[in-house]
Amino acid sequence: MSDGADRVAIDLGGTKIRAARLAPEGRLQPAVDVATPTKDLSALLDAIMAAVERCDDRGGATSKARIVGLGMPGVVDRHTGLVTRCQNIPAAEGTTMHELLAGRLSAEVRVDNDVNLAALGERVAGQAAGTDDLVVLSLGTGVGAGIISHGQLLRGSRGLAAEIADLPLFGDPWDATDRQQGTLERAIGSVGLLRAYHASGGSVHVATVEELVVRADADAVLSTFARQVAVTILALQALVDPAVVVLTGGIGAAPSIVARVRSATRDLLGSVPEVQVSTLGAMAGLHGAAALALGTIPPWVVARPEQLPGG
């Protein structure tokens, strides 16, 4: 394995930036969290810099980061590095984050989609360790997937592979609202799940999925949701035939949801794919970012300071 002493892994999330130095043997050192400024680009870059500096302070680093692996929400164009569909962090929308950070950090910056890196993390250090064909299915405020097929991350020509929020299921892809949010995400993301509960005549106003999943009067809604997830897994099976599907996210990792999805998937598909729940949780993306920094996989998009204008 490559020397990790001069490398940093970063998982850029909608609420926090999680970063960690890599030890010389490539192991993640303790992570630090910094709140994510979502609307101001300069503040966002400053916060990422602060996260890296706190990693240096905590680990007693003797050298600056030379290579950074960064996972971020949204689609990263492989040809230009342009970030799009980054709804949770509008400050990053339309930017080339790899170039901006390479200049600020004076480091090589390798970028990929966060759920792609979560899939890589699960394969390297998590529930699906060593599995060559797997899907990480993230169910929360948004709906996303990371796909590893024959041991390789599946990204497509522009980075849109596994953007399953767009699957034309349980809605109308010709409807502008459905299309803008993503037909599948609008149906089974947290907002859609809460909407379905209230439309079913739920007895009280429920504001969060955490409240919803423990309510007895949500049983029918949650059963329908589990069946919809099973159909989503059926679609993924038809496309990439994973051996394992790893559930994660605020909805996906809830024990009552996992049990229902497993049952519905067995009823629909039998024993393959195997449905597991992530053991890495929110750390999966950071493990994937570490693998990206170490060169375990070829970088999707990379910027080097010397290649930037004025570098």
Side-chain angles (χ1 to χ4, degrees), residues 204-224:
V204 298
H205 177 73
V206 173
T208 69
V209 170
E210 289 77 12
E211 297 174 60
L212 176 63
V213 297
V214 297
R215 292 197 58 81
D217 64 349
D219 183 72
V221 169
L222 295 177
S223 293
T224 297

Side-chain angles (χ1 to χ4, degrees), residues 137 139 222 225-227 229-230 233 247 252 256-267 275:
L137 184 55
L139 304 171
L222 295 177
F225 171 82
R227 289 168 64 88
V229 175
I233 293 172
L247 299 178
S256 62
I257 293 293
V258 173
R260 290 172 184 271
V261 170
R262 279 178 172 154
S263 176
T265 303
R266 281 196 300 268
D267 290 346
V275 177

Side-chain angles (χ1 to χ4, degrees), residues 86-120:
C86 192
Q87 295 94 331
N88 290 339
I89 311 177
E93 181 75 17
T95 67
T96 51
M97 287 291 290
H98 64 313
E99 294 179 338
L100 294 173
L101 285 173
R104 293 285 293 268
L105 293 168
S106 297
E108 178 178 314
V109 177
R110 303 169 179 176
V111 179
D112 209 325
N113 171 267
D114 56 352
V115 189
N116 283 351
L117 293 184
L120 182 61

Side-chain angles (χ1 to χ4, degrees), residues 7-31:
R7 304 179 192 224
V8 172
I10 302 174
D11 185 16
L12 178 58
T15 59
K16 61 187 163 188
I17 301 159
R18 177 162 286 167
R21 271 264 181 179
L22 275 62
E25 73 278 10
R27 174 180 48 83
L28 280 171
Q29 294 184 342

Side-chain angles (χ1 to χ4, degrees), residues 114-311:
D114 56 352
V115 189
N116 283 351
L117 293 184
L120 182 61
E122 293 290 349
R123 183 173 188 261
V124 169
Q127 189 68 273
T131 303
D132 282 342
D133 295 275
L134 69 104
V135 171
V136 165
L137 184 55
S138 179
L139 304 171
T141 303
V143 174
I147 298 172
I148 291 179
S149 182
H150 297 296
Q152 303 295 318
L153 269 173
L154 188 64
R155 297 172 171 122
S157 63
R158 294 171 294 156
L160 287 167
E163 288 292 314
I164 65 164
D166 289 336
L167 282 177
L169 297 173
F170 318 120
D172 179 6
W174 295 101
D175 179 273
T177 303
D178 273 18
R179 182 64 181 159
Q180 182 177 17
Q181 184 176 352
T183 307
L184 178 63
E185 182 172 301
R186 188 162 189 265
I188 68 171
S190 60
V191 173
L193 186 55
L194 290 168
R195 182 173 58 243
Y197 169 73
H198 293 129
S200 74
S203 60
V204 298
H205 177 73
V206 173
T208 69
V209 170
E210 289 77 12
E211 297 174 60
L212 176 63
V213 297
V214 297
R215 292 197 58 81
D217 64 349
D219 183 72
V221 169
L222 295 177
S223 293
T224 297
F225 171 82
R227 289 168 64 88
Q228 290 172 326
V229 175
V231 170
T232 303
I233 293 172
L234 171 61
L236 289 165
Q237 183 189 64
L239 293 170
V240 294
D241 189 24
V244 177
V245 173
V246 181
L247 299 178
T248 189
I251 303 174
S256 62
I257 293 293
V258 173
R260 290 172 184 271
V261 170
R262 279 178 172 154
S263 176
T265 303
R266 281 196 300 268
D267 290 346
L268 186 62
L269 297 171
S271 60
V272 179
E274 180 182 354
V275 177
Q276 296 284 357
V277 61
S278 173
T279 53
L280 295 176
M283 290 294 291
L286 200 64
H287 280 275
L292 187 65
L294 287 167
T296 304
I297 57 168
W300 178 240
V301 173
V302 61
R304 300 178 178 90
E306 66 271 16
Q307 296 173 338
L308 301 177

